Amino acid sequence: MATATTSPRKAKAAKPAAKAKASAAGKATAARRGSASSQSTQAKSTKAKAARTRSIHQTQSAVRQTEIAARNTVDVFGDYTERAVLIPVGAALIARDRVVSSVNDVVSSYGSTTKAQAQLRRFERRGNTARNRLEREVRKARVRFERELRQRRTDLEKTVSSLEERRDAVAKNVTELPNRLQERILSIV
């Protein structure tokens, strides 16, 4: 088998060509690496920027929510304090209105002598009506009570007379029993 040998010159010449080839391949690889590295760096920086933006937006959202919650809390406490002030004020105004109304009614009812006399007559008629109604109710109650008492007395008298009749019948039988018993015994013998 024949082997090809190269001369040292050719080997030296081949070395630079191989170096050049390797260098060109290395540059291409480096360029590709640089380009990939550049793309990787850009992707990393884009991701980092997106993460920062997302973080900023989340922080801003949290701040807004906190502000809203604080406002709502303040609003709730404001509502409670407002109610705490308005309730007694409203109650006092209603009481005042009632007092003024009562005073106005009294003044309109008793403002003059004739009005006062008319009001007194009304009171007298009302009192008279109430007294008559009470007397009527008392009279009805008394009549009802007397009727029930008479009915009970009548029922009791009937029961007592019935018991007396039974007692008399038993007493009569007791006195006649020995005579009847004797007659029966004699009739059998």
Side-chain angles (χ1 to χ4, degrees):
M1 191 167 178
T3 59
T5 56
T6 55
S7 68
R9 240 175 193 225
K10 281 187 178 181
K12 282 185 182 179
K15 274 187 181 179
K19 276 187 179 179
K21 218 182 206 186
S23 172
K27 285 181 185 176
T29 305
R32 271 187 257 123
R33 268 194 224 139
S35 144
S37 174
S38 162
Q39 288 175 350
S40 172
T41 305
Q42 284 178 347
K44 287 180 183 177
S45 68
T46 303
K47 286 181 182 177
K49 183 177 179 184
R52 284 192 307 271
T53 305
R54 194 171 29 258
S55 174
I56 289 170
H57 286 254
Q58 287 174 347
T59 304
Q60 288 172 347
S61 175
V63 166
R64 266 187 260 120
Q65 288 176 351
T66 304
E67 288 173 352
I68 289 170
R71 261 188 260 126
N72 288 344
T73 304
V74 168
D75 288 345
V76 167
F77 284 121
D79 290 345
Y80 283 135
T81 55
E82 185 178 9
R83 287 183 73 194
V85 169
L86 292 179
I87 288 172
V89 169
L93 290 174
I94 288 173
R96 181 193 61 93
D97 291 345
R98 288 184 180 167
V99 168
V100 167
S101 174
S102 298
V103 169
N104 287 340
D105 288 345
V106 168
V107 168
S108 69
S109 296
Y110 304 106
S112 67
T113 312
T114 56
K115 286 184 178 180
Q117 288 176 348
Q119 192 67 30
L120 290 175
R121 280 193 299 273
R122 263 190 231 117
F123 290 157
E124 184 181 4
R125 280 195 305 271
R126 178 69 176 94
N128 190 19
T129 303
R131 183 195 64 205
N132 291 342
R133 186 173 294 139
L134 179 65
E135 287 176 352
R136 199 175 311 122
E137 292 296 322
V138 167
R139 203 171 20 250
K140 283 181 184 178
R142 189 190 75 219
V143 167
R144 189 178 315 120
F145 176 73
E146 289 174 350
R147 183 182 327 115
E148 288 175 3
L149 185 63
R150 275 194 307 271
Q151 288 173 349
R152 287 184 184 143
R153 183 180 294 148
T154 304
D155 290 343
L156 187 61
E157 287 173 354
K158 285 180 184 178
T159 305
V160 167
S161 70
S162 168
L163 288 174
E164 286 176 349
E165 287 174 6
R166 282 179 155 177
R167 184 196 62 196
D168 292 341
V170 168
K172 184 179 176 187
N173 282 340
V174 168
T175 56
E176 292 179 4
L177 188 62
N179 292 335
R180 277 196 235 154
L181 188 59
Q182 189 177 12
E183 286 176 9
R184 269 193 129 172
I185 292 175
L186 288 176
S187 67
I188 294 177
V189 181

PDB file of all heavy atoms in Angstrom, residues 75-105:
ATOM      1  N   ASP A  75     -64.364  56.466  55.263  1.00  0.00           N
ATOM      2  CA  ASP A  75     -65.772  56.710  54.967  1.00  0.00           C
ATOM      3  C   ASP A  75     -66.674  56.026  55.982  1.00  0.00           C
ATOM      4  O   ASP A  75     -67.667  56.603  56.435  1.00  0.00           O
ATOM      5  CB  ASP A  75     -66.122  56.222  53.553  1.00  0.00           C
ATOM      6  CG  ASP A  75     -65.526  57.109  52.469  1.00  0.00           C
ATOM      7  OD1 ASP A  75     -65.098  58.242  52.800  1.00  0.00           O
ATOM      8  OD2 ASP A  75     -65.487  56.663  51.303  1.00  0.00           O
ATOM      9  N   VAL A  76     -66.343  54.777  56.353  1.00  0.00           N
ATOM     10  CA  VAL A  76     -67.162  54.047  57.328  1.00  0.00           C
ATOM     11  C   VAL A  76     -67.146  54.761  58.667  1.00  0.00           C
ATOM     12  O   VAL A  76     -68.189  54.987  59.284  1.00  0.00           O
ATOM     13  CB  VAL A  76     -66.662  52.586  57.471  1.00  0.00           C
ATOM     14  CG1 VAL A  76     -67.273  51.913  58.681  1.00  0.00           C
ATOM     15  CG2 VAL A  76     -66.976  51.799  56.215  1.00  0.00           C
ATOM     16  N   PHE A  77     -65.944  55.142  59.117  1.00  0.00           N
ATOM     17  CA  PHE A  77     -65.866  55.859  60.394  1.00  0.00           C
ATOM     18  C   PHE A  77     -66.562  57.205  60.295  1.00  0.00           C
ATOM     19  O   PHE A  77     -67.219  57.641  61.240  1.00  0.00           O
ATOM     20  CB  PHE A  77     -64.405  56.043  60.836  1.00  0.00           C
ATOM     21  CG  PHE A  77     -63.793  54.783  61.378  1.00  0.00           C
ATOM     22  CD1 PHE A  77     -62.672  54.225  60.800  1.00  0.00           C
ATOM     23  CD2 PHE A  77     -64.356  54.137  62.469  1.00  0.00           C
ATOM     24  CE1 PHE A  77     -62.120  53.062  61.293  1.00  0.00           C
ATOM     25  CE2 PHE A  77     -63.817  52.974  62.969  1.00  0.00           C
ATOM     26  CZ  PHE A  77     -62.688  52.424  62.375  1.00  0.00           C
ATOM     27  N   GLY A  78     -66.457  57.839  59.140  1.00  0.00           N
ATOM     28  CA  GLY A  78     -67.151  59.115  58.937  1.00  0.00           C
ATOM     29  C   GLY A  78     -68.659  58.926  59.014  1.00  0.00           C
ATOM     30  O   GLY A  78     -69.369  59.733  59.629  1.00  0.00           O
ATOM     31  N   ASP A  79     -69.149  57.849  58.409  1.00  0.00           N
ATOM     32  CA  ASP A  79     -70.587  57.570  58.465  1.00  0.00           C
ATOM     33  C   ASP A  79     -71.045  57.329  59.901  1.00  0.00           C
ATOM     34  O   ASP A  79     -72.087  57.828  60.328  1.00  0.00           O
ATOM     35  CB  ASP A  79     -70.921  56.338  57.610  1.00  0.00           C
ATOM     36  CG  ASP A  79     -70.785  56.613  56.121  1.00  0.00           C
ATOM     37  OD1 ASP A  79     -70.721  57.801  55.730  1.00  0.00           O
ATOM     38  OD2 ASP A  79     -70.735  55.627  55.342  1.00  0.00           O
ATOM     39  N   TYR A  80     -70.258  56.543  60.647  1.00  0.00           N
ATOM     40  CA  TYR A  80     -70.630  56.275  62.045  1.00  0.00           C
ATOM     41  C   TYR A  80     -70.628  57.548  62.881  1.00  0.00           C
ATOM     42  O   TYR A  80     -71.541  57.768  63.675  1.00  0.00           O
ATOM     43  CB  TYR A  80     -69.695  55.233  62.672  1.00  0.00           C
ATOM     44  CG  TYR A  80     -69.993  53.823  62.238  1.00  0.00           C
ATOM     45  CD1 TYR A  80     -68.979  52.951  61.869  1.00  0.00           C
ATOM     46  CD2 TYR A  80     -71.296  53.334  62.200  1.00  0.00           C
ATOM     47  CE1 TYR A  80     -69.256  51.659  61.466  1.00  0.00           C
ATOM     48  CE2 TYR A  80     -71.574  52.048  61.800  1.00  0.00           C
ATOM     49  CZ  TYR A  80     -70.557  51.211  61.438  1.00  0.00           C
ATOM     50  OH  TYR A  80     -70.836  49.929  61.047  1.00  0.00           O
ATOM     51  N   THR A  81     -69.617  58.357  62.711  1.00  0.00           N
ATOM     52  CA  THR A  81     -69.582  59.600  63.503  1.00  0.00           C
ATOM     53  C   THR A  81     -70.712  60.514  63.088  1.00  0.00           C
ATOM     54  O   THR A  81     -71.325  61.174  63.942  1.00  0.00           O
ATOM     55  CB  THR A  81     -68.228  60.315  63.339  1.00  0.00           C
ATOM     56  OG1 THR A  81     -67.967  60.538  61.958  1.00  0.00           O
ATOM     57  CG2 THR A  81     -67.102  59.531  63.964  1.00  0.00           C
ATOM     58  N   GLU A  82     -71.012  60.552  61.800  1.00  0.00           N
ATOM     59  CA  GLU A  82     -72.116  61.402  61.334  1.00  0.00           C
ATOM     60  C   GLU A  82     -73.438  60.926  61.937  1.00  0.00           C
ATOM     61  O   GLU A  82     -74.237  61.726  62.420  1.00  0.00           O
ATOM     62  CB  GLU A  82     -72.179  61.347  59.810  1.00  0.00           C
ATOM     63  CG  GLU A  82     -73.203  62.290  59.207  1.00  0.00           C
ATOM     64  CD  GLU A  82     -73.200  62.234  57.690  1.00  0.00           C
ATOM     65  OE1 GLU A  82     -72.537  61.357  57.104  1.00  0.00           O
ATOM     66  OE2 GLU A  82     -73.871  63.085  57.092  1.00  0.00           O
ATOM     67  N   ARG A  83     -73.643  59.607  61.938  1.00  0.00           N
ATOM     68  CA  ARG A  83     -74.867  59.078  62.548  1.00  0.00           C
ATOM     69  C   ARG A  83     -74.916  59.372  64.038  1.00  0.00           C
ATOM     70  O   ARG A  83     -75.979  59.673  64.582  1.00  0.00           O
ATOM     71  CB  ARG A  83     -74.940  57.563  62.331  1.00  0.00           C
ATOM     72  CG  ARG A  83     -75.259  57.174  60.902  1.00  0.00           C
ATOM     73  CD  ARG A  83     -75.394  55.697  60.738  1.00  0.00           C
ATOM     74  NE  ARG A  83     -76.652  55.268  61.349  1.00  0.00           N
ATOM     75  CZ  ARG A  83     -76.959  54.016  61.618  1.00  0.00           C
ATOM     76  NH1 ARG A  83     -76.087  53.063  61.358  1.00  0.00           N
ATOM     77  NH2 ARG A  83     -78.112  53.711  62.154  1.00  0.00           N
ATOM     78  N   ALA A  84     -73.754  59.255  64.703  1.00  0.00           N
ATOM     79  CA  ALA A  84     -73.700  59.507  66.150  1.00  0.00           C
ATOM     80  C   ALA A  84     -74.088  60.941  66.462  1.00  0.00           C
ATOM     81  O   ALA A  84     -74.621  61.224  67.536  1.00  0.00           O
ATOM     82  CB  ALA A  84     -72.301  59.207  66.681  1.00  0.00           C
ATOM     83  N   VAL A  85     -73.834  61.849  65.548  1.00  0.00           N
ATOM     84  CA  VAL A  85     -74.200  63.253  65.770  1.00  0.00           C
ATOM     85  C   VAL A  85     -75.643  63.500  65.353  1.00  0.00           C
ATOM     86  O   VAL A  85     -76.395  64.186  66.049  1.00  0.00           O
ATOM     87  CB  VAL A  85     -73.241  64.185  64.987  1.00  0.00           C
ATOM     88  CG1 VAL A  85     -73.740  65.603  64.986  1.00  0.00           C
ATOM     89  CG2 VAL A  85     -71.841  64.111  65.586  1.00  0.00           C
ATOM     90  N   LEU A  86     -76.058  62.925  64.231  1.00  0.00           N
ATOM     91  CA  LEU A  86     -77.377  63.231  63.678  1.00  0.00           C
ATOM     92  C   LEU A  86     -78.530  62.597  64.466  1.00  0.00           C
ATOM     93  O   LEU A  86     -79.612  63.180  64.544  1.00  0.00           O
ATOM     94  CB  LEU A  86     -77.452  62.785  62.217  1.00  0.00           C
ATOM     95  CG  LEU A  86     -76.579  63.574  61.247  1.00  0.00           C
ATOM     96  CD1 LEU A  86     -76.716  63.021  59.840  1.00  0.00           C
ATOM     97  CD2 LEU A  86     -76.935  65.050  61.260  1.00  0.00           C
ATOM     98  N   ILE A  87     -78.318  61.420  65.050  1.00  0.00           N
ATOM     99  CA  ILE A  87     -79.407  60.751  65.777  1.00  0.00           C
ATOM    100  C   ILE A  87     -79.889  61.579  66.965  1.00  0.00           C
ATOM    101  O   ILE A  87     -81.093  61.839  67.091  1.00  0.00           O
ATOM    102  CB  ILE A  87     -78.990  59.322  66.190  1.00  0.00           C
ATOM    103  CG1 ILE A  87     -78.949  58.428  64.949  1.00  0.00           C
ATOM    104  CG2 ILE A  87     -79.928  58.733  67.236  1.00  0.00           C
ATOM    105  CD1 ILE A  87     -78.377  57.044  65.188  1.00  0.00           C
ATOM    106  N   PRO A  88     -79.004  62.041  67.864  1.00  0.00           N
ATOM    107  CA  PRO A  88     -79.503  62.855  68.980  1.00  0.00           C
ATOM    108  C   PRO A  88     -80.116  64.177  68.512  1.00  0.00           C
ATOM    109  O   PRO A  88     -81.106  64.646  69.086  1.00  0.00           O
ATOM    110  CB  PRO A  88     -78.262  63.108  69.845  1.00  0.00           C
ATOM    111  CG  PRO A  88     -77.250  62.131  69.416  1.00  0.00           C
ATOM    112  CD  PRO A  88     -77.589  61.737  68.023  1.00  0.00           C
ATOM    113  N   VAL A  89     -79.537  64.763  67.472  1.00  0.00           N
ATOM    114  CA  VAL A  89     -80.085  66.025  66.966  1.00  0.00           C
ATOM    115  C   VAL A  89     -81.503  65.792  66.448  1.00  0.00           C
ATOM    116  O   VAL A  89     -82.432  66.547  66.755  1.00  0.00           O
ATOM    117  CB  VAL A  89     -79.179  66.611  65.856  1.00  0.00           C
ATOM    118  CG1 VAL A  89     -79.858  67.761  65.144  1.00  0.00           C
ATOM    119  CG2 VAL A  89     -77.860  67.074  66.458  1.00  0.00           C
ATOM    120  N   GLY A  90     -81.701  64.721  65.671  1.00  0.00           N
ATOM    121  CA  GLY A  90     -83.033  64.411  65.153  1.00  0.00           C
ATOM    122  C   GLY A  90     -84.018  64.118  66.264  1.00  0.00           C
ATOM    123  O   GLY A  90     -85.169  64.574  66.228  1.00  0.00           O
ATOM    124  N   ALA A  91     -83.594  63.349  67.284  1.00  0.00           N
ATOM    125  CA  ALA A  91     -84.478  63.033  68.410  1.00  0.00           C
ATOM    126  C   ALA A  91     -84.877  64.311  69.151  1.00  0.00           C
ATOM    127  O   ALA A  91     -86.041  64.486  69.532  1.00  0.00           O
ATOM    128  CB  ALA A  91     -83.784  62.061  69.360  1.00  0.00           C
ATOM    129  N   ALA A  92     -83.923  65.208  69.347  1.00  0.00           N
ATOM    130  CA  ALA A  92     -84.224  66.472  70.037  1.00  0.00           C
ATOM    131  C   ALA A  92     -85.205  67.312  69.220  1.00  0.00           C
ATOM    132  O   ALA A  92     -86.143  67.919  69.774  1.00  0.00           O
ATOM    133  CB  ALA A  92     -82.933  67.252  70.279  1.00  0.00           C
ATOM    134  N   LEU A  93     -85.033  67.350  67.913  1.00  0.00           N
ATOM    135  CA  LEU A  93     -85.944  68.131  67.069  1.00  0.00           C
ATOM    136  C   LEU A  93     -87.350  67.544  67.072  1.00  0.00           C
ATOM    137  O   LEU A  93     -88.341  68.295  67.119  1.00  0.00           O
ATOM    138  CB  LEU A  93     -85.396  68.212  65.637  1.00  0.00           C
ATOM    139  CG  LEU A  93     -84.142  69.069  65.464  1.00  0.00           C
ATOM    140  CD1 LEU A  93     -83.615  68.956  64.049  1.00  0.00           C
ATOM    141  CD2 LEU A  93     -84.435  70.521  65.811  1.00  0.00           C
ATOM    142  N   ILE A  94     -87.465  66.218  67.043  1.00  0.00           N
ATOM    143  CA  ILE A  94     -88.790  65.593  67.094  1.00  0.00           C
ATOM    144  C   ILE A  94     -89.463  65.881  68.432  1.00  0.00           C
ATOM    145  O   ILE A  94     -90.657  66.213  68.484  1.00  0.00           O
ATOM    146  CB  ILE A  94     -88.680  64.076  66.830  1.00  0.00           C
ATOM    147  CG1 ILE A  94     -88.360  63.842  65.358  1.00  0.00           C
ATOM    148  CG2 ILE A  94     -89.960  63.350  67.215  1.00  0.00           C
ATOM    149  CD1 ILE A  94     -88.073  62.404  65.000  1.00  0.00           C
ATOM    150  N   ALA A  95     -88.705  65.778  69.518  1.00  0.00           N
ATOM    151  CA  ALA A  95     -89.265  66.081  70.845  1.00  0.00           C
ATOM    152  C   ALA A  95     -89.717  67.542  70.905  1.00  0.00           C
ATOM    153  O   ALA A  95     -90.796  67.855  71.430  1.00  0.00           O
ATOM    154  CB  ALA A  95     -88.232  65.785  71.930  1.00  0.00           C
ATOM    155  N   ARG A  96     -88.903  68.436  70.347  1.00  0.00           N
ATOM    156  CA  ARG A  96     -89.275  69.857  70.338  1.00  0.00           C
ATOM    157  C   ARG A  96     -90.553  70.069  69.540  1.00  0.00           C
ATOM    158  O   ARG A  96     -91.460  70.786  69.969  1.00  0.00           O
ATOM    159  CB  ARG A  96     -88.146  70.694  69.733  1.00  0.00           C
ATOM    160  CG  ARG A  96     -88.455  72.196  69.699  1.00  0.00           C
ATOM    161  CD  ARG A  96     -87.471  72.942  68.820  1.00  0.00           C
ATOM    162  NE  ARG A  96     -87.516  72.490  67.446  1.00  0.00           N
ATOM    163  CZ  ARG A  96     -88.272  73.052  66.485  1.00  0.00           C
ATOM    164  NH1 ARG A  96     -89.041  74.068  66.774  1.00  0.00           N
ATOM    165  NH2 ARG A  96     -88.243  72.583  65.263  1.00  0.00           N
ATOM    166  N   ASP A  97     -90.666  69.412  68.390  1.00  0.00           N
ATOM    167  CA  ASP A  97     -91.872  69.539  67.569  1.00  0.00           C
ATOM    168  C   ASP A  97     -93.105  69.068  68.333  1.00  0.00           C
ATOM    169  O   ASP A  97     -94.172  69.685  68.257  1.00  0.00           O
ATOM    170  CB  ASP A  97     -91.727  68.740  66.278  1.00  0.00           C
ATOM    171  CG  ASP A  97     -90.695  69.328  65.328  1.00  0.00           C
ATOM    172  OD1 ASP A  97     -90.303  70.501  65.531  1.00  0.00           O
ATOM    173  OD2 ASP A  97     -90.275  68.601  64.389  1.00  0.00           O
ATOM    174  N   ARG A  98     -92.962  67.975  69.066  1.00  0.00           N
ATOM    175  CA  ARG A  98     -94.107  67.469  69.842  1.00  0.00           C
ATOM    176  C   ARG A  98     -94.499  68.438  70.953  1.00  0.00           C
ATOM    177  O   ARG A  98     -95.683  68.641  71.212  1.00  0.00           O
ATOM    178  CB  ARG A  98     -93.772  66.096  70.415  1.00  0.00           C
ATOM    179  CG  ARG A  98     -93.747  65.024  69.355  1.00  0.00           C
ATOM    180  CD  ARG A  98     -93.505  63.660  69.914  1.00  0.00           C
ATOM    181  NE  ARG A  98     -93.493  62.662  68.834  1.00  0.00           N
ATOM    182  CZ  ARG A  98     -93.069  61.442  68.985  1.00  0.00           C
ATOM    183  NH1 ARG A  98     -92.618  61.029  70.154  1.00  0.00           N
ATOM    184  NH2 ARG A  98     -93.100  60.596  67.975  1.00  0.00           N
ATOM    185  N   VAL A  99     -93.512  69.002  71.623  1.00  0.00           N
ATOM    186  CA  VAL A  99     -93.816  69.964  72.681  1.00  0.00           C
ATOM    187  C   VAL A  99     -94.512  71.187  72.096  1.00  0.00           C
ATOM    188  O   VAL A  99     -95.522  71.669  72.630  1.00  0.00           O
ATOM    189  CB  VAL A  99     -92.521  70.366  73.442  1.00  0.00           C
ATOM    190  CG1 VAL A  99     -92.753  71.573  74.329  1.00  0.00           C
ATOM    191  CG2 VAL A  99     -92.015  69.187  74.255  1.00  0.00           C
ATOM    192  N   VAL A 100     -93.994  71.698  70.988  1.00  0.00           N
ATOM    193  CA  VAL A 100     -94.600  72.868  70.350  1.00  0.00           C
ATOM    194  C   VAL A 100     -96.024  72.538  69.917  1.00  0.00           C
ATOM    195  O   VAL A 100     -96.944  73.348  70.102  1.00  0.00           O
ATOM    196  CB  VAL A 100     -93.741  73.323  69.136  1.00  0.00           C
ATOM    197  CG1 VAL A 100     -94.486  74.310  68.266  1.00  0.00           C
ATOM    198  CG2 VAL A 100     -92.442  73.930  69.624  1.00  0.00           C
ATOM    199  N   SER A 101     -96.225  71.340  69.367  1.00  0.00           N
ATOM    200  CA  SER A 101     -97.563  70.929  68.940  1.00  0.00           C
ATOM    201  C   SER A 101     -98.507  70.852  70.133  1.00  0.00           C
ATOM    202  O   SER A 101     -99.649  71.306  70.057  1.00  0.00           O
ATOM    203  CB  SER A 101     -97.477  69.574  68.248  1.00  0.00           C
ATOM    204  OG  SER A 101     -98.753  69.089  67.960  1.00  0.00           O
ATOM    205  N   SER A 102     -98.034  70.278  71.244  1.00  0.00           N
ATOM    206  CA  SER A 102     -98.867  70.185  72.452  1.00  0.00           C
ATOM    207  C   SER A 102     -99.230  71.565  72.977  1.00  0.00           C
ATOM    208  O   SER A 102    -100.383  71.818  73.343  1.00  0.00           O
ATOM    209  CB  SER A 102     -98.149  69.398  73.539  1.00  0.00           C
ATOM    210  OG  SER A 102     -97.917  68.085  73.113  1.00  0.00           O
ATOM    211  N   VAL A 103     -98.245  72.439  73.015  1.00  0.00           N
ATOM    212  CA  VAL A 103     -98.502  73.794  73.495  1.00  0.00           C
ATOM    213  C   VAL A 103     -99.500  74.497  72.576  1.00  0.00           C
ATOM    214  O   VAL A 103    -100.436  75.171  73.040  1.00  0.00           O
ATOM    215  CB  VAL A 103     -97.179  74.602  73.613  1.00  0.00           C
ATOM    216  CG1 VAL A 103     -97.440  76.072  73.839  1.00  0.00           C
ATOM    217  CG2 VAL A 103     -96.338  74.032  74.743  1.00  0.00           C
ATOM    218  N   ASN A 104     -99.331  74.320  71.279  1.00  0.00           N
ATOM    219  CA  ASN A 104    -100.264  74.944  70.330  1.00  0.00           C
ATOM    220  C   ASN A 104    -101.672  74.390  70.509  1.00  0.00           C
ATOM    221  O   ASN A 104    -102.655  75.141  70.430  1.00  0.00           O
ATOM    222  CB  ASN A 104     -99.793  74.724  68.886  1.00  0.00           C
ATOM    223  CG  ASN A 104     -98.590  75.573  68.545  1.00  0.00           C
ATOM    224  OD1 ASN A 104     -98.310  76.579  69.198  1.00  0.00           O
ATOM    225  ND2 ASN A 104     -97.861  75.168  67.517  1.00  0.00           N
ATOM    226  N   ASP A 105    -101.788  73.078  70.753  1.00  0.00           N
ATOM    227  CA  ASP A 105    -103.104  72.480  70.991  1.00  0.00           C
ATOM    228  C   ASP A 105    -103.738  73.058  72.250  1.00  0.00           C
ATOM    229  O   ASP A 105    -104.934  73.372  72.267  1.00  0.00           O
ATOM    230  CB  ASP A 105    -102.993  70.966  71.122  1.00  0.00           C
ATOM    231  CG  ASP A 105    -102.692  70.286  69.803  1.00  0.00           C
ATOM    232  OD1 ASP A 105    -102.839  70.939  68.753  1.00  0.00           O
ATOM    233  OD2 ASP A 105    -102.307  69.096  69.832  1.00  0.00           O
TER     234      ASP A 105
END
